[in-house]
Amino acid sequence: MTTFDRRALEAAGYLVVPGFIDLHVHLREPGFEDSETIASGARAALRGGFTTVCAMPNTEPAIDSPGLIAELVARAKAANAARVLPVATITRGRKGKELADLVELAAAGAVAFSDDGSPVDDARLFRSALEYARAADRPVLEHPQDLALSARGVMHEGRVSADLGLPGIPAAAEEAAIARDLALAKLSGARLHLQHVSTARSVELVRRAKADGLAVTCEVTPHHLALTDAWVAGDRTVAWEGRPSPRATPFDASTKVNPPLRTEGDVRALWDALADGTIDAIATDHAPHASVKKDVEYDLAAFGISGLETALPLLLGGVDAGWAALDTVIAALTTGPARVLGIDVPDDDWTVVDRAATWIVTAAGLASKGKNTPLLGRELRGRVVMSVVGGDVRYEGDLRAAPLAVR
Amino acid sequence: MKVTWSRRHVLETDDWSREEIEHVLDTANGMLEVLSRPIRRAPPLRGRTVILFFAEASTRTRVSFELAAKALSADVVNITATGSSVEKGESLLDTARTLEALGGDVLVIRHGSSGAPYFVAQRVGAAVINAGDGAHAHPTQGLLDAYTLRAKLGDLAGKRIVVVGDVLHSRVARSDINALVPLGARVTLSGPPTLLPAAWRCGDLPSGVGYEPDVDRALDGADGVIALRLQRERQEAGLLPSIREYARTWGLTEPRVATMRPGAPVMHPGPMNEGVEIDAAVAHGARSLIEEQVTNGVAVRMALLYLLIAGGEPRLIVGAEPPTSIAGGEPPATPLPTGVV
Ligand SMILES: [Zn+2]
C-alpha cells in the first residue's frame, strides 16, 4: 500500500484537497442489494473522491430504529471504504403518518433525519418533526416536492416535455414545497436542509430566507449543474458546451431523475447560487438502480442517476468554463456539507485529483453496481486518483508519474 | 426531383425534410392507384414479413396496416396485447427480444408509453414504424392527414390548419404539426388551457404553430380543421368542468365550420364522439374528409412499408400493370373499411 505524501503529490502536479463529504447517497442495503450494497457504494464513493457519505434511509426496511442504525454502522465499518454516516427516517417506515423515535435515533448515531423520496405531505407532522429535530440538535434533510403537483410527471414540465408528450413535473412542485418548508422552519427555529434544489426560483427562495436569518441550508447535485431536460430528447450537450454533442436516442431512461433535469436558465441560476453561497453543498443524490428498473419504458423506469464516480469531472467542467471558482466547488464538497451536519471536516481525509486525466465512462469501469448514468460512453476530464480516510490510503487509481499541468 | 430514401425507421417526422415527406406522399399516390384496382394487390413485398405489435388496442390502425401490408403481398403476423405475454407482465425488453427472434422486415408498434418504439428500434434488426406511442407521436396519422389535406387543397404552403381539442394528450396533434409544418402549412392549436401543454400555451411553441384558445377566432378564415378525440376521463381528472361545456365551447358545429374558407375541409382521426368534439352534421357533412382519411391511411402506410423495405431498390411498382400474374389464385384483399368505425 502506498502511503499518502501530500507534498510529493502536489509537487508532481496533483490537486490535493480534503476528502469530500456527500450529504446524499442511496446505498440500497438492506433490501435492494441488486442495485447497490453498502460495500459497493462506499467503494464507488472513494472512486469519486468522497471519503464520507450520508446514507439515505429509504431501504427495506427503512432505517427507523436504533438497531438498524447499529447494523448499518457495523456493515460500513466492515467494508473499510468511505465513512458512512447514517441518516434516519423522519417518520416510522417513511410512511408520513407518525414520527420515528427521533431522540433515540440521534443518540444511536443518526446524523440527520430524512424521508427522502417521500416528502412529509402533512404540514403539521412536518412541523413536529422540525421541533423534535431541533431538540435533538440534528438537521432535517427535506426532499421538497408537492406530490399533488408533480403527480405522474416523469420529466421537467416545459417545452421539451410538451414536444415529447411526456407528463411533466412543474418547477412549481418544488418551489411550492420549499415555500411551505421555509414557513415551517421559521415557526420551529429548526435546522432545515433542502435536498437537491433544482430550479431558479427555488434558490431565490432560499437566498431570501437566508437574508431573513433562517437556519436553512441547501444542496445541489452535479447532474442538475451540468445537464438539462434536453437530454431526455436525446441532446447530449453539457450546459457550458458551446458546440452541440452528437445526439443520442430520445427517451433514454438514464436521464430520468427526481427532481428532473431542468432548463438551461435553471442551471445558470444554480451556479450563481453556488457562487454566492446560497447553495451550501454539492451532493450527488447517488441513486443506483439494477438494469431491470431502468431498461424499460420511460414512464415506468425508476428515478435516479448513479452519480458518485462522475461528480468531480462534471463540476470541474463548470469551473473550467468559469461558472464558479475551484475553491467554491471544493468548499461545497467539504466544509459546506460539514457545516450542514454540524460536524468537523475529518482532518486526515484526503482526495487527490489528476485534473488533466481524461477517461471514458463505461459500465464496467464503474465500481457502483448502478450503471444508470446518461454519461456512459462519454469522455470526461479530471479524475480522482487517490482517496485517503483517516490517513489510510483506501483507494488508489492511475497515478501517473507527472500529470499534465492545468492552466 | 430525385429523392434518395435513407430512413431506416418511421418513429416520428420531427426531423424529416419537406422532400422526404413529399416523397412519401407522392409514393402514396401510386398506392392509391393500386387500391382502386378491382384486385387490390401488387406483388413487390411478396416473401417479406410485417409484424404488427399492438400493445394497446386499436382495431382501426391495426386493420389499416394489415390491409396495407397485404395489398403489397407481404405476410402479416399479428401480436396483440390481449391474451399475449404483454398482458401477463412481460417486460418490453423481453418482448423486443422475442420480436427480434421472430425476424420480420418491418415491425409496426403501437404502445401506451411515449418513446416505446425508440426503445424497441434500438433492440431489433427490423425497420420499425411507430403506430402511436403514448402522447408522443403517430407519424403515419400525421402523414395521412398531410396527404388528405394536400389532395384537397393542393400545395399546403401558407395554408392555415386548425387542430382543436385535447392537444396535451394527443400524439395525433404532435404528428400533424411535424408533418404539416415542413410542407409550409401553419397550425393553429385551440382547446381548453388545461389540455394544452403549458409551455405551448405560454408561447414557447414549435415553429409554424400558434395557440388561439377561442375556437371561433381560430376557425375564422382557416383552410381546414382537425378535431381531436376527447377522452371522458379528462373531466374526472379535474382538467375540465364538464363534457357538456367542452362541447359547447370547442365542439365543431355547422355554424362554426362555416366561418372557415369556402370548402375548407373537416377531419378527425377517429374514433369520434359525435356531439362532443364534433357534431354529426359536420362529421357527415359536405366538408368532411373523414372517410377519405381512412382510405388514404392505407395508401400512406403502403408507401411507408414499400419505402422501408424496397426504398433503396429501383423496382418501383407504382403505375405498373395490374398484377395479373397473381389474379387467378389470390382472393381480393379484405374490403377497405368505409365510414367511421
Ligand atoms: Zn430526494
Side-chain angles (χ1 to χ4, degrees), chain B residues 175-201:
Chain B
S175 286
D176 279 340
I177 290 168
N178 289 328
L180 295 174
V181 171
L183 297 177
R186 287 172 298 138
V187 173
T188 303
L189 303 173
S190 188
T194 49
L195 295 181
L196 260 288
W200 289 5
R201 194 181 61 235

PDB file of all heavy atoms in Angstrom, chain B residues 175-201:
ATOM      1  N   SER B 175     -47.957  14.805 -34.276  1.00  0.00           N
ATOM      2  CA  SER B 175     -47.519  14.326 -35.584  1.00  0.00           C
ATOM      3  C   SER B 175     -48.117  15.147 -36.718  1.00  0.00           C
ATOM      4  O   SER B 175     -47.492  15.281 -37.772  1.00  0.00           O
ATOM      5  CB  SER B 175     -47.861  12.842 -35.743  1.00  0.00           C
ATOM      6  OG  SER B 175     -46.960  12.086 -34.958  1.00  0.00           O
ATOM      7  N   ASP B 176     -49.313  15.687 -36.528  1.00  0.00           N
ATOM      8  CA  ASP B 176     -49.864  16.595 -37.545  1.00  0.00           C
ATOM      9  C   ASP B 176     -48.950  17.814 -37.700  1.00  0.00           C
ATOM     10  O   ASP B 176     -48.631  18.235 -38.813  1.00  0.00           O
ATOM     11  CB  ASP B 176     -51.283  17.046 -37.161  1.00  0.00           C
ATOM     12  CG  ASP B 176     -52.345  15.997 -37.532  1.00  0.00           C
ATOM     13  OD1 ASP B 176     -52.054  15.132 -38.391  1.00  0.00           O
ATOM     14  OD2 ASP B 176     -53.450  16.049 -36.966  1.00  0.00           O
ATOM     15  N   ILE B 177     -48.522  18.361 -36.571  1.00  0.00           N
ATOM     16  CA  ILE B 177     -47.602  19.503 -36.620  1.00  0.00           C
ATOM     17  C   ILE B 177     -46.334  19.116 -37.384  1.00  0.00           C
ATOM     18  O   ILE B 177     -45.877  19.829 -38.279  1.00  0.00           O
ATOM     19  CB  ILE B 177     -47.242  19.966 -35.188  1.00  0.00           C
ATOM     20  CG1 ILE B 177     -48.455  20.619 -34.522  1.00  0.00           C
ATOM     21  CG2 ILE B 177     -46.035  20.903 -35.196  1.00  0.00           C
ATOM     22  CD1 ILE B 177     -48.296  20.855 -33.031  1.00  0.00           C
ATOM     23  N   ASN B 178     -45.779  17.954 -37.030  1.00  0.00           N
ATOM     24  CA  ASN B 178     -44.499  17.552 -37.615  1.00  0.00           C
ATOM     25  C   ASN B 178     -44.593  17.116 -39.075  1.00  0.00           C
ATOM     26  O   ASN B 178     -43.574  16.982 -39.745  1.00  0.00           O
ATOM     27  CB  ASN B 178     -43.865  16.443 -36.768  1.00  0.00           C
ATOM     28  CG  ASN B 178     -43.365  16.975 -35.431  1.00  0.00           C
ATOM     29  OD1 ASN B 178     -42.947  18.127 -35.345  1.00  0.00           O
ATOM     30  ND2 ASN B 178     -43.436  16.166 -34.392  1.00  0.00           N
ATOM     31  N   ALA B 179     -45.818  16.882 -39.572  1.00  0.00           N
ATOM     32  CA  ALA B 179     -45.970  16.566 -40.994  1.00  0.00           C
ATOM     33  C   ALA B 179     -46.405  17.794 -41.787  1.00  0.00           C
ATOM     34  O   ALA B 179     -46.003  17.963 -42.941  1.00  0.00           O
ATOM     35  CB  ALA B 179     -46.986  15.436 -41.182  1.00  0.00           C
ATOM     36  N   LEU B 180     -47.224  18.652 -41.182  1.00  0.00           N
ATOM     37  CA  LEU B 180     -47.791  19.789 -41.927  1.00  0.00           C
ATOM     38  C   LEU B 180     -46.832  20.973 -42.005  1.00  0.00           C
ATOM     39  O   LEU B 180     -46.717  21.620 -43.050  1.00  0.00           O
ATOM     40  CB  LEU B 180     -49.116  20.233 -41.284  1.00  0.00           C
ATOM     41  CG  LEU B 180     -50.253  19.199 -41.345  1.00  0.00           C
ATOM     42  CD1 LEU B 180     -51.469  19.670 -40.546  1.00  0.00           C
ATOM     43  CD2 LEU B 180     -50.645  18.941 -42.799  1.00  0.00           C
ATOM     44  N   VAL B 181     -46.151  21.268 -40.897  1.00  0.00           N
ATOM     45  CA  VAL B 181     -45.284  22.452 -40.885  1.00  0.00           C
ATOM     46  C   VAL B 181     -44.141  22.353 -41.907  1.00  0.00           C
ATOM     47  O   VAL B 181     -43.875  23.322 -42.623  1.00  0.00           O
ATOM     48  CB  VAL B 181     -44.788  22.755 -39.450  1.00  0.00           C
ATOM     49  CG1 VAL B 181     -43.728  23.845 -39.460  1.00  0.00           C
ATOM     50  CG2 VAL B 181     -45.958  23.147 -38.555  1.00  0.00           C
ATOM     51  N   PRO B 182     -43.490  21.178 -42.035  1.00  0.00           N
ATOM     52  CA  PRO B 182     -42.435  21.100 -43.065  1.00  0.00           C
ATOM     53  C   PRO B 182     -42.968  21.341 -44.476  1.00  0.00           C
ATOM     54  O   PRO B 182     -42.215  21.752 -45.359  1.00  0.00           O
ATOM     55  CB  PRO B 182     -41.904  19.668 -42.927  1.00  0.00           C
ATOM     56  CG  PRO B 182     -42.234  19.269 -41.536  1.00  0.00           C
ATOM     57  CD  PRO B 182     -43.538  19.953 -41.215  1.00  0.00           C
ATOM     58  N   LEU B 183     -44.266  21.112 -44.692  1.00  0.00           N
ATOM     59  CA  LEU B 183     -44.849  21.342 -46.017  1.00  0.00           C
ATOM     60  C   LEU B 183     -45.263  22.801 -46.211  1.00  0.00           C
ATOM     61  O   LEU B 183     -45.868  23.150 -47.221  1.00  0.00           O
ATOM     62  CB  LEU B 183     -46.057  20.421 -46.233  1.00  0.00           C
ATOM     63  CG  LEU B 183     -45.738  18.911 -46.233  1.00  0.00           C
ATOM     64  CD1 LEU B 183     -47.015  18.093 -46.386  1.00  0.00           C
ATOM     65  CD2 LEU B 183     -44.751  18.564 -47.356  1.00  0.00           C
ATOM     66  N   GLY B 184     -44.974  23.618 -45.218  1.00  0.00           N
ATOM     67  CA  GLY B 184     -45.249  25.048 -45.364  1.00  0.00           C
ATOM     68  C   GLY B 184     -46.551  25.507 -44.736  1.00  0.00           C
ATOM     69  O   GLY B 184     -46.878  26.690 -44.759  1.00  0.00           O
ATOM     70  N   ALA B 185     -47.318  24.574 -44.164  1.00  0.00           N
ATOM     71  CA  ALA B 185     -48.577  24.961 -43.527  1.00  0.00           C
ATOM     72  C   ALA B 185     -48.305  25.573 -42.160  1.00  0.00           C
ATOM     73  O   ALA B 185     -47.253  25.347 -41.558  1.00  0.00           O
ATOM     74  CB  ALA B 185     -49.487  23.747 -43.384  1.00  0.00           C
ATOM     75  N   ARG B 186     -49.276  26.393 -41.699  1.00  0.00           N
ATOM     76  CA  ARG B 186     -49.237  26.885 -40.326  1.00  0.00           C
ATOM     77  C   ARG B 186     -50.315  26.151 -39.552  1.00  0.00           C
ATOM     78  O   ARG B 186     -51.377  25.841 -40.113  1.00  0.00           O
ATOM     79  CB  ARG B 186     -49.495  28.392 -40.284  1.00  0.00           C
ATOM     80  CG  ARG B 186     -48.308  29.214 -40.804  1.00  0.00           C
ATOM     81  CD  ARG B 186     -48.678  30.686 -40.921  1.00  0.00           C
ATOM     82  NE  ARG B 186     -49.754  30.894 -41.868  1.00  0.00           N
ATOM     83  CZ  ARG B 186     -50.773  31.730 -41.679  1.00  0.00           C
ATOM     84  NH1 ARG B 186     -50.853  32.444 -40.573  1.00  0.00           N
ATOM     85  NH2 ARG B 186     -51.723  31.859 -42.587  1.00  0.00           N
ATOM     86  N   VAL B 187     -50.059  25.863 -38.292  1.00  0.00           N
ATOM     87  CA  VAL B 187     -51.026  25.135 -37.485  1.00  0.00           C
ATOM     88  C   VAL B 187     -51.467  26.036 -36.336  1.00  0.00           C
ATOM     89  O   VAL B 187     -50.635  26.613 -35.640  1.00  0.00           O
ATOM     90  CB  VAL B 187     -50.419  23.821 -36.941  1.00  0.00           C
ATOM     91  CG1 VAL B 187     -51.371  23.142 -35.961  1.00  0.00           C
ATOM     92  CG2 VAL B 187     -50.074  22.866 -38.094  1.00  0.00           C
ATOM     93  N   THR B 188     -52.791  26.186 -36.188  1.00  0.00           N
ATOM     94  CA  THR B 188     -53.328  26.915 -35.042  1.00  0.00           C
ATOM     95  C   THR B 188     -53.952  25.902 -34.097  1.00  0.00           C
ATOM     96  O   THR B 188     -54.873  25.176 -34.483  1.00  0.00           O
ATOM     97  CB  THR B 188     -54.413  27.921 -35.474  1.00  0.00           C
ATOM     98  OG1 THR B 188     -53.858  28.810 -36.439  1.00  0.00           O
ATOM     99  CG2 THR B 188     -54.916  28.721 -34.274  1.00  0.00           C
ATOM    100  N   LEU B 189     -53.433  25.836 -32.874  1.00  0.00           N
ATOM    101  CA  LEU B 189     -53.996  24.933 -31.875  1.00  0.00           C
ATOM    102  C   LEU B 189     -55.092  25.663 -31.123  1.00  0.00           C
ATOM    103  O   LEU B 189     -54.978  26.861 -30.846  1.00  0.00           O
ATOM    104  CB  LEU B 189     -52.910  24.494 -30.890  1.00  0.00           C
ATOM    105  CG  LEU B 189     -51.682  23.812 -31.503  1.00  0.00           C
ATOM    106  CD1 LEU B 189     -50.608  23.595 -30.432  1.00  0.00           C
ATOM    107  CD2 LEU B 189     -52.069  22.486 -32.151  1.00  0.00           C
ATOM    108  N   SER B 190     -56.163  24.954 -30.795  1.00  0.00           N
ATOM    109  CA  SER B 190     -57.214  25.542 -29.968  1.00  0.00           C
ATOM    110  C   SER B 190     -57.730  24.471 -29.028  1.00  0.00           C
ATOM    111  O   SER B 190     -57.640  23.279 -29.323  1.00  0.00           O
ATOM    112  CB  SER B 190     -58.354  26.083 -30.836  1.00  0.00           C
ATOM    113  OG  SER B 190     -59.257  26.812 -30.034  1.00  0.00           O
ATOM    114  N   GLY B 191     -58.253  24.922 -27.885  1.00  0.00           N
ATOM    115  CA  GLY B 191     -58.766  23.969 -26.911  1.00  0.00           C
ATOM    116  C   GLY B 191     -58.658  24.556 -25.518  1.00  0.00           C
ATOM    117  O   GLY B 191     -58.122  25.649 -25.333  1.00  0.00           O
ATOM    118  N   PRO B 192     -59.154  23.836 -24.512  1.00  0.00           N
ATOM    119  CA  PRO B 192     -59.107  24.336 -23.134  1.00  0.00           C
ATOM    120  C   PRO B 192     -57.658  24.505 -22.675  1.00  0.00           C
ATOM    121  O   PRO B 192     -56.799  23.705 -23.053  1.00  0.00           O
ATOM    122  CB  PRO B 192     -59.790  23.223 -22.329  1.00  0.00           C
ATOM    123  CG  PRO B 192     -60.482  22.355 -23.321  1.00  0.00           C
ATOM    124  CD  PRO B 192     -59.776  22.516 -24.622  1.00  0.00           C
ATOM    125  N   PRO B 193     -57.378  25.515 -21.868  1.00  0.00           N
ATOM    126  CA  PRO B 193     -55.998  25.755 -21.414  1.00  0.00           C
ATOM    127  C   PRO B 193     -55.395  24.541 -20.703  1.00  0.00           C
ATOM    128  O   PRO B 193     -54.199  24.294 -20.812  1.00  0.00           O
ATOM    129  CB  PRO B 193     -56.129  26.944 -20.456  1.00  0.00           C
ATOM    130  CG  PRO B 193     -57.583  27.056 -20.145  1.00  0.00           C
ATOM    131  CD  PRO B 193     -58.316  26.498 -21.324  1.00  0.00           C
ATOM    132  N   THR B 194     -56.220  23.783 -20.002  1.00  0.00           N
ATOM    133  CA  THR B 194     -55.709  22.628 -19.253  1.00  0.00           C
ATOM    134  C   THR B 194     -55.344  21.467 -20.176  1.00  0.00           C
ATOM    135  O   THR B 194     -54.698  20.525 -19.743  1.00  0.00           O
ATOM    136  CB  THR B 194     -56.767  22.114 -18.265  1.00  0.00           C
ATOM    137  OG1 THR B 194     -58.017  21.980 -18.980  1.00  0.00           O
ATOM    138  CG2 THR B 194     -56.944  23.072 -17.111  1.00  0.00           C
ATOM    139  N   LEU B 195     -55.770  21.527 -21.416  1.00  0.00           N
ATOM    140  CA  LEU B 195     -55.481  20.433 -22.346  1.00  0.00           C
ATOM    141  C   LEU B 195     -54.464  20.849 -23.407  1.00  0.00           C
ATOM    142  O   LEU B 195     -54.348  20.233 -24.455  1.00  0.00           O
ATOM    143  CB  LEU B 195     -56.780  19.924 -22.993  1.00  0.00           C
ATOM    144  CG  LEU B 195     -57.769  19.278 -21.999  1.00  0.00           C
ATOM    145  CD1 LEU B 195     -59.012  18.769 -22.708  1.00  0.00           C
ATOM    146  CD2 LEU B 195     -57.114  18.143 -21.218  1.00  0.00           C
ATOM    147  N   LEU B 196     -53.741  21.933 -23.120  1.00  0.00           N
ATOM    148  CA  LEU B 196     -52.596  22.349 -23.941  1.00  0.00           C
ATOM    149  C   LEU B 196     -51.357  22.178 -23.070  1.00  0.00           C
ATOM    150  O   LEU B 196     -51.403  22.479 -21.880  1.00  0.00           O
ATOM    151  CB  LEU B 196     -52.739  23.831 -24.304  1.00  0.00           C
ATOM    152  CG  LEU B 196     -53.266  24.213 -25.690  1.00  0.00           C
ATOM    153  CD1 LEU B 196     -52.204  23.927 -26.749  1.00  0.00           C
ATOM    154  CD2 LEU B 196     -54.546  23.507 -26.048  1.00  0.00           C
ATOM    155  N   PRO B 197     -50.243  21.706 -23.617  1.00  0.00           N
ATOM    156  CA  PRO B 197     -49.013  21.694 -22.814  1.00  0.00           C
ATOM    157  C   PRO B 197     -48.717  23.123 -22.347  1.00  0.00           C
ATOM    158  O   PRO B 197     -48.845  24.069 -23.130  1.00  0.00           O
ATOM    159  CB  PRO B 197     -47.955  21.196 -23.801  1.00  0.00           C
ATOM    160  CG  PRO B 197     -48.712  20.500 -24.888  1.00  0.00           C
ATOM    161  CD  PRO B 197     -50.032  21.201 -24.988  1.00  0.00           C
ATOM    162  N   ALA B 198     -48.310  23.255 -21.079  1.00  0.00           N
ATOM    163  CA  ALA B 198     -48.138  24.593 -20.503  1.00  0.00           C
ATOM    164  C   ALA B 198     -47.172  25.451 -21.314  1.00  0.00           C
ATOM    165  O   ALA B 198     -47.429  26.628 -21.562  1.00  0.00           O
ATOM    166  CB  ALA B 198     -47.664  24.470 -19.055  1.00  0.00           C
ATOM    167  N   ALA B 199     -46.078  24.870 -21.763  1.00  0.00           N
ATOM    168  CA  ALA B 199     -45.076  25.662 -22.491  1.00  0.00           C
ATOM    169  C   ALA B 199     -45.674  26.197 -23.791  1.00  0.00           C
ATOM    170  O   ALA B 199     -45.476  27.369 -24.139  1.00  0.00           O
ATOM    171  CB  ALA B 199     -43.842  24.808 -22.790  1.00  0.00           C
ATOM    172  N   TRP B 200     -46.409  25.360 -24.485  1.00  0.00           N
ATOM    173  CA  TRP B 200     -47.008  25.787 -25.749  1.00  0.00           C
ATOM    174  C   TRP B 200     -48.042  26.881 -25.498  1.00  0.00           C
ATOM    175  O   TRP B 200     -48.141  27.851 -26.232  1.00  0.00           O
ATOM    176  CB  TRP B 200     -47.684  24.599 -26.446  1.00  0.00           C
ATOM    177  CG  TRP B 200     -46.722  23.595 -27.005  1.00  0.00           C
ATOM    178  CD1 TRP B 200     -45.354  23.607 -26.871  1.00  0.00           C
ATOM    179  CD2 TRP B 200     -47.044  22.434 -27.777  1.00  0.00           C
ATOM    180  NE1 TRP B 200     -44.819  22.515 -27.524  1.00  0.00           N
ATOM    181  CE2 TRP B 200     -45.829  21.782 -28.088  1.00  0.00           C
ATOM    182  CE3 TRP B 200     -48.242  21.875 -28.243  1.00  0.00           C
ATOM    183  CZ2 TRP B 200     -45.783  20.600 -28.835  1.00  0.00           C
ATOM    184  CZ3 TRP B 200     -48.194  20.705 -28.986  1.00  0.00           C
ATOM    185  CH2 TRP B 200     -46.984  20.075 -29.284  1.00  0.00           C
ATOM    186  N   ARG B 201     -48.827  26.702 -24.439  1.00  0.00           N
ATOM    187  CA  ARG B 201     -49.874  27.673 -24.128  1.00  0.00           C
ATOM    188  C   ARG B 201     -49.251  29.030 -23.813  1.00  0.00           C
ATOM    189  O   ARG B 201     -49.826  30.073 -24.069  1.00  0.00           O
ATOM    190  CB  ARG B 201     -50.690  27.160 -22.930  1.00  0.00           C
ATOM    191  CG  ARG B 201     -51.992  27.884 -22.725  1.00  0.00           C
ATOM    192  CD  ARG B 201     -52.704  27.319 -21.496  1.00  0.00           C
ATOM    193  NE  ARG B 201     -51.929  27.475 -20.284  1.00  0.00           N
ATOM    194  CZ  ARG B 201     -51.599  26.486 -19.477  1.00  0.00           C
ATOM    195  NH1 ARG B 201     -51.964  25.255 -19.733  1.00  0.00           N
ATOM    196  NH2 ARG B 201     -50.885  26.725 -18.395  1.00  0.00           N
TER     197      ARG B 201
END
